[in-house]
Amino acid sequence: MAASTLTEVARLAGVSPATASRVLNGSARKPGQDIAERVRQAADSLGYIPNAQAQGLAKSSSGLIGLIVHDIADPYFAAIARGVQEAAREQRKMVLLATTGGGPAEEKEAVAAFAARRADSIVIAGSRSCRDQDRDGNAELAAELDRYCRNGGRVAVVGHPVVGATAAEGYHVVKVPNQELAGQLATELAAGWDGDFVIVGGPEGLLTSDDRVRGFQEGLEQAGRRPAEILRSAFNRSGGYEAGLQLAARIKAARSGDAAAPKLCIFAVNDVMAIGAAAALRSEGLRIPRDAAIAGFDDIETLRDFRPALSTVRLPLEDIGRFATRSTGRQPNGEEPEGAPDDITGEVTLRRSTEAAA
């Protein structure tokens, strides 16, 4: 059966379509109470469903928030998304989701799609890239975001600013102290570890990974230790697994040549990479922490069921999502909303996976 129209509602209520629209779409211009009641009764009897786009035009707000993440299957992004959803409910808004795989060109397409649907704000979570291969994509993404902000949109980005974005109004960055926290982790691990350190990092040029690598090296230096070797791989579980296979072969080779060879302490720059590396070690018959220590970063929810319990840096991921969303809320007095994302903190959490280094 065809959906009823606003014109049919207006005809049944005995009013003009403009009057019916003002009642049903939330215009600031309100007809009299008796007229409004007639319109609502007519709409109910016809089963009329208001047009969300028309409501958005009447209210100058679509009630939509766009969320862009690299991979919603990654528990890191899932936790941030929960925080975004919670803050959206506070604002009585709905969340549109786009997953992009981390490419700025794909993120640009998502921003354009959200802008076309008149999303009130956009939250972007995921590491920024300054790699040469992403130069054009970064430029296009920055231009799309600047255009969106100039037209009244508001944007929050988790971690680092979008490379090349210049919008001065409506653009917020939720800063995460990745470098400082990685340094603290290195310092605490080095205090009880006399062996070597290895960092499993993402591709060079991914800013979040680079910050964590840099911070860990700085922490080792402050502890009077030599720099860690860096293995580069994909910034996901598969990348961690591949790096773990390389390290497993190295550990087994060292053991065959010298029974007293020192163990490695592995720092993977995110938890899913650490989980992948640990799985690779186990597949080669190695045990943690007996044969190697390992630590991650983020403290994703999946770790609750991971054994041995993984040492990591705990980030308030849901809070980050909430803060990012709230920072895009419009305030009548022009001030930042309560809970502005200026005080994101984290905590080094040592568990059994680095027990020998504790």
Side-chain angles (χ1 to χ4, degrees):
M1 185 175 67
S4 58
T5 66
L6 185 65
T7 299
E8 292 170 336
V9 172
R11 185 182 301 120
L12 181 60
V15 300
S16 69
T19 297
S21 176
R22 282 193 287 271
V23 173
L24 299 175
N25 291 326
S27 172
R29 297 176 58 193
K30 300 290 185 183
Q33 183 61 37
D34 58 333
I35 295 176
E37 186 60 29
R38 285 209 321 267
V39 171
R40 293 192 187 96
Q41 288 179 356
D44 288 342
S45 66
L46 291 172
Y48 173 74
I49 300 174
N51 185 299
Q53 292 178 324
Q55 288 184 327
L57 290 173
K59 299 176 182 178
S60 298
S61 170
S62 66
L64 300 174
I65 297 173
L67 172 61
I68 300 173
V69 300
H70 290 184
D71 180 7
I72 195 59
D74 186 326
Y76 171 89
F77 294 112
I80 291 176
R82 280 199 300 270
V84 171
Q85 182 65 58
E86 181 178 321
R89 281 195 294 267
E90 294 171 357
Q91 299 174 14
R92 298 184 180 278
K93 295 184 178 182
M94 297 297 292
V95 178
L96 301 176
L97 174 67
T99 60
T100 65
E106 289 75 15
E107 290 175 325
K108 178 260 183 184
E109 294 299 325
V111 170
F114 291 153
R117 287 161 178 76
R118 301 295 189 267
D120 297 331
S121 58
I122 296 174
V123 176
I124 304 176
S127 181
R128 301 295 93 210
S129 169
C130 63
R131 296 178 294 176
D132 289 343
Q133 66 205 63
D134 292 323
R135 182 181 295 116
D136 292 343
N138 280 332
E140 293 175 1
L141 173 61
E144 194 68 44
L145 284 172
D146 290 347
R147 180 163 48 249
Y148 173 71
C149 290
R150 287 197 304 271
N151 282 280
R154 295 170 68 85
V155 176
V157 182
V158 176
H160 295 85
V162 171
V163 177
T166 59
E169 298 293 334
Y171 185 80
H172 304 267
V173 178
V174 182
K175 298 179 180 178
V176 179
N178 289 301
Q179 187 168 331
E180 295 85 349
L181 291 168
Q184 293 175 25
L185 175 63
T187 300
E188 294 197 28
L189 291 175
W193 185 260
D194 57 4
D196 293 330
F197 289 89
V198 174
I199 300 173
V200 177
E204 192 168 4
L206 289 183
L207 301 185
T208 297
S209 173
D210 289 349
D211 281 353
R212 294 176 181 181
V213 170
R214 187 181 307 111
F216 197 84
Q217 297 285 43
E218 289 173 351
L220 292 179
E221 182 180 8
Q222 292 173 6
R225 307 296 294 275
R226 64 185 181 188
E229 178 188 356
I230 304 171
L231 293 183
R232 298 284 183 180
S233 61
F235 196 50
N236 53 31
R237 184 190 182 280
S238 295
Y241 191 89
E242 291 177 7
L245 290 178
Q246 295 181 46
L247 293 171
R250 184 181 306 180
I251 292 168
K252 293 168 76 173
R255 179 179 297 170
S256 64
D258 181 359
K263 293 192 297 183
L264 293 176
C265 183
I266 303 163
F267 167 54
V269 295
N270 64 41
D271 287 339
V272 293
M273 295 180 77
I275 290 172
L281 293 176
R282 285 196 299 270
S283 73
E284 294 297 314
L286 301 177
R287 293 176 57 186
I288 299 169
R290 185 194 68 186
D291 301 309
I294 188 166
F297 200 112
D298 292 327
D299 200 27
I300 57 176
E301 188 172 1
T302 307
L303 298 188
R304 307 300 177 272
D305 302 316
F306 184 81
R307 294 294 180 272
L310 185 70
S311 293
T312 188
V313 173
R314 179 181 300 162
L315 288 180
L317 298 175
E318 291 190 30
D319 285 345
I320 288 172
R322 282 190 286 267
F323 290 158
T325 306
R326 290 169 182 165
S327 74
T328 64
R330 298 181 183 279
Q331 302 298 305
N333 58 8
E335 295 181 357
E336 286 295 316
E338 184 178 354
D342 295 328
D343 299 313
I344 298 296
T345 58
E347 179 185 5
V348 173
T349 304
L350 298 185
R351 301 185 177 116
R352 173 144 174 78
S353 69
T354 57
E355 192 171 72

